[in-house]
Amino acid sequence: MIRENDRVLLSDGKREFYVRAVEKDFSTDKGILKLGDLIGMESGGTIYSHLDKPFKVMVPRPTDFFNHARRTGAPMLPKDIGMVIAYTGMNHNDNVLDAGCGSGVAAIYFGGVAGHVTSYEKRPEFAEICRANILEAGLDNVEVIAGDMLDAEGEAVFDVVHLDMQIEKEHIEHAYALLKNGGYLATYTPFLEHTFTVMDAAIPLFSEVVCHELIARELTRTERGTRPSTRVAHTGYITVCRK
C-alpha cells in the first residue's frame, strides 16, 4: 500500500512521471492529477486526471530508481549489477559490503536480494544523496556509512564485498580479510589498467580470480528490419574472486 510521501511512478502509456504521494496537484498535458489520491492505493491501480485521462500507478522497482533517482555521477548499469549478483550468488542470507556506493543504485539492487548491506562512501555529500535514495526505495536493511572501506572492522564478517571505486592493492587485501571463507569479492573497473591492479593483488590471495568484460547489445527493430543497436556495448570489467 502506498503511504504518504512515498515515491510513485505514473505512466500515461508513453511517458513516466516520478512523483511523491503528497497532498499536491501535478500538472500534465493530459490534465491535473491530485497526488494525494495516491495515498492508500496499491501498485497497479489507476488514477485519473481532471480531464478523465488514465495514469497507471506503480511502486518503483530498482530499475526505476536507476532511471529516476538523484545521481552523483554515472552509476553501474543494471546489466553490470546483475553480473555481480549472479556470479557471487548473492542471496537473502548474505551480509554484503558495498564500497564506493555513489548515488546508491547498486546498493538498492543488493538490498532487494541480500540480508543486510553496508555501503561505504568517502565523500560525505555523496553519502547523503545515497541515504536519501535508499530511504526512498523503502529499504531498512541498507546502512550507509560516510567513510573509507579500509576503516571497516572485523575478520570474516561479510559474505560478499563489492568495490566500485578507485581500487588499490590495500583495498583488495582488506576485502580478503573481511570476507568469510567461501565468500566473494567483486570489483567493477572501467579501464584495463585498474583491472590489472585488481587481478595482480587478488591472484596471490584468492583461490579463484575470474575477470569478465561487460558487453551487451540491444536490438533495434524498425520497418526496415532488425539489427543491433549502435549504442556503446562495452561498459567495463568485473573481476570476481573467491576466498
Side-chain angles (χ1 to χ4, degrees), residues 94-182:
D94 285 345
N95 186 24
V96 176
L97 184 146
D98 169 46
C101 61
S103 52
V105 172
I108 289 173
Y109 275 86
F110 296 159
V113 176
H116 188 270
V117 179
T118 304
S119 286
Y120 278 82
E121 174 53 60
K122 290 179 67 174
R123 293 158 292 192
E125 66 276 17
F126 284 13
E128 283 304 309
I129 293 172
C130 180
R131 285 193 188 97
N133 287 336
I134 297 298
L135 182 64
E136 292 194 339
L139 295 168
D140 59 6
N141 63 332
V142 180
E143 175 188 9
V144 179
I145 296 176
D148 193 327
M149 65 84 61
L150 292 174
D151 296 329
E153 298 180 349
E155 289 190 18
V157 291
F158 292 100
D159 300 283
V160 177
V161 173
H162 170 252
L163 306 180
D164 176 15
M165 48 185 268
Q166 185 71 42
I167 303 171
E168 303 295 343
K169 180 181 179 182
E170 56 265 31
H171 297 113
I172 303 300
E173 293 171 342
H174 193 54
Y176 181 84
L178 292 171
L179 279 169
K180 299 176 183 177
N181 286 330

Side-chain angles (χ1 to χ4, degrees), residues 177-204:
L178 292 171
L179 279 169
K180 299 176 183 177
N181 286 330
Y184 284 93
L185 165 66
T187 67
Y188 175 82
T189 46
F191 300 108
L192 281 170
E193 289 78 6
H194 301 153
T195 306
F196 296 156
T197 297
V198 170
M199 296 184 74
D200 290 346
I203 287 172

Side-chain angles (χ1 to χ4, degrees), residues 9-17 54-58:
L9 204 64
L10 301 177
S11 173
D12 65 1
K14 293 183 177 180
R15 293 170 302 167
E16 293 180 342
F17 302 93
F55 289 75
K56 183 188 293 184
V57 176
M58 295 174 286

Side-chain angles (χ1 to χ4, degrees), residues 56-111:
K56 183 188 293 184
V57 176
M58 295 174 286
V59 172
R61 295 175 63 83
T63 47
D64 301 311
F65 286 104
F66 174 84
N67 291 324
H68 298 287
R70 185 181 175 190
R71 296 186 179 184
T72 57
M76 288 177 66
L77 294 182
K79 71 177 182 66
D80 303 339
I81 298 169
M83 287 277 284
V84 173
I85 294 171
Y87 279 102
T88 63
M90 191 183 297
N91 62 75
H92 68 279
N93 295 314
D94 285 345
N95 186 24
V96 176
L97 184 146
D98 169 46
C101 61
S103 52
V105 172
I108 289 173
Y109 275 86
F110 296 159

